[in-house]
Amino acid sequence: MFSAVLLGTAAFLHRIFGLPTPIAENLAAVAFLGAGISLLMSIAATVGIWRTGRPGTARIVFAVLVSLALMLWPLVFLPKYEGLPNINDVTTDTVNPPPFEEIAKLRQPGSNAVAYPGTKFARKQLAAYPDIKPIEIDRPADEVFGLAGEAVKRLKMDVVHQEVPDLDAGRAGIIEIADRTLILGLQDDVAIRVSGNEQHARLDVRSASRYGGHDLGRNAERVREILKEIVTVMESTVPAARAERDDEAKEAKEERPRNRRSKNRRRR
């Protein structure tokens, strides 16, 4: 029971009160170790009861169930651990990924490196997540940047820093986000980069875990979620743009007969 309470307390403090991840991981390790010791003691007590016939079977059964529940909980993630690549950084641009600049200052000692790991991760990502690709669209880069910001607001993500693109200087726009998982509150960093000009834009997304070597696929899921939301926002603005163009075309058609009439009157 001590191990169960310790694990629950560590998860609660980490999710609600921002307990540093390394400390929470150490407390969880102590809880799992305590569950293992409790299970061994339960086995030893079972042998003693079998030999002497003394009471205590109910307590042993309870201890075994609690210990197994604690120790088997991590096994729920075993299929993902074995089936997904052992990476913690996913991006749509593995050659020149969006950088972490301002958000890098939030990383504490003991966290993962800010720099992208390189070709080793890129090969694993391409094999496991071939669908994660940048968005390229024939729309102004500053407009796409605004749509990306709107998508981030709809996803209710915490924006740490953003810088609009400078088309004249050729500087890309950047949005840096600090995100956390819903249940355990594991911290991840996200960067959205929009580059291009007044006719064409390219949007790249990067999501990386602050701690841990295996992300169990959550960074890939987050990148997909962001890209999907941005595409949704883009598609929702297309009808409005088309309507404006249709109105302009309609007005132009109406102006032509008027111009012709005025010319005929002048001739007369």
Side-chain angles (χ1 to χ4, degrees):
M1 287 303 299
F2 172 79
S3 298
V5 172
L6 180 62
L7 182 62
T9 302
F12 177 77
L13 293 177
H14 183 265
R15 182 65 184 89
I16 305 300
F17 295 99
L19 180 71
T21 301
I23 297 178
E25 290 178 346
N26 292 336
L27 292 177
V30 172
F32 291 131
L33 178 61
I37 295 174
S38 176
L39 186 60
L40 293 176
M41 294 175 63
S42 298
I43 295 174
T46 301
V47 174
I49 290 177
W50 181 264
R51 290 180 177 179
T52 62
R54 67 173 183 264
T57 304
R59 286 178 291 175
I60 292 177
V61 171
F62 179 77
V64 170
L65 292 177
V66 174
S67 299
L68 288 177
L70 289 176
M71 298 180 68
L72 293 178
W73 174 64
L75 296 180
V76 175
F77 303 99
L78 186 60
K80 283 189 174 183
Y81 187 86
E82 294 183 345
L84 296 175
N86 186 17
I87 58 178
N88 55 18
D89 198 332
V90 175
T91 176
T92 57
D93 188 351
T94 57
V95 178
N96 182 29
F100 295 135
E101 297 177 354
E102 292 298 324
I103 205 169
K105 301 175 183 178
L106 301 179
R107 293 203 173 192
Q108 300 175 353
S111 61
N112 295 327
V114 176
Y116 183 71
T119 56
K120 183 179 180 181
F121 272 33
R123 288 195 298 268
K124 292 182 178 180
Q125 176 186 317
L126 181 61
Y129 314 122
D131 59 306
I132 295 181
K133 299 177 181 180
I135 295 177
E136 296 197 45
I137 186 171
D138 292 331
R139 298 176 74 167
D142 52 357
E143 178 185 346
V144 174
F145 182 83
L147 297 176
E150 179 64 25
V152 170
K153 290 181 180 179
R154 293 174 60 169
L155 292 173
K156 298 181 180 180
M157 291 182 170
D158 184 16
V159 176
V160 176
H161 172 73
Q162 65 177 359
E163 186 176 352
V164 298
D166 189 341
L167 302 185
D168 296 332
R171 187 182 68 244
I174 193 76
I175 302 176
E176 295 184 71
I177 303 166
D179 197 23
R180 305 183 71 186
T181 58
L182 179 61
I183 299 176
L184 296 179
L186 299 175
Q187 296 173 319
D188 300 319
D189 296 329
V190 181
I192 301 174
R193 182 181 62 200
V194 180
S195 57
N197 49 42
E198 294 181 355
Q199 288 79 32
H200 184 80
R202 170 173 171 149
L203 186 144
D204 289 287
V205 181
R206 178 186 177 190
S207 178
S209 305
R210 291 191 188 181
Y211 299 94
H214 200 309
D215 63 2
L216 300 177
R218 71 175 182 270
N219 284 304
E221 293 176 0
R222 183 180 291 105
V223 171
R224 290 191 183 113
E225 182 184 19
I226 293 174
L227 291 175
K228 181 179 179 181
E229 190 65 30
I230 291 175
V231 170
T232 300
V233 174
M234 287 182 179
E235 291 178 347
S236 66
T237 61
V238 171
R242 288 179 179 174
E244 291 179 0
R245 290 196 296 268
D246 293 341
D247 292 340
E248 291 176 357
K250 186 177 180 181
E251 291 178 359
K253 290 180 180 179
E254 293 177 352
E255 287 293 331
R256 290 174 186 173
R258 294 176 183 174
N259 294 335
R260 291 176 183 175
R261 292 173 184 173
S262 60
K263 288 180 180 179
N264 292 334
R265 292 176 181 174
R266 291 176 182 175
R267 291 176 183 175
R268 292 176 182 175

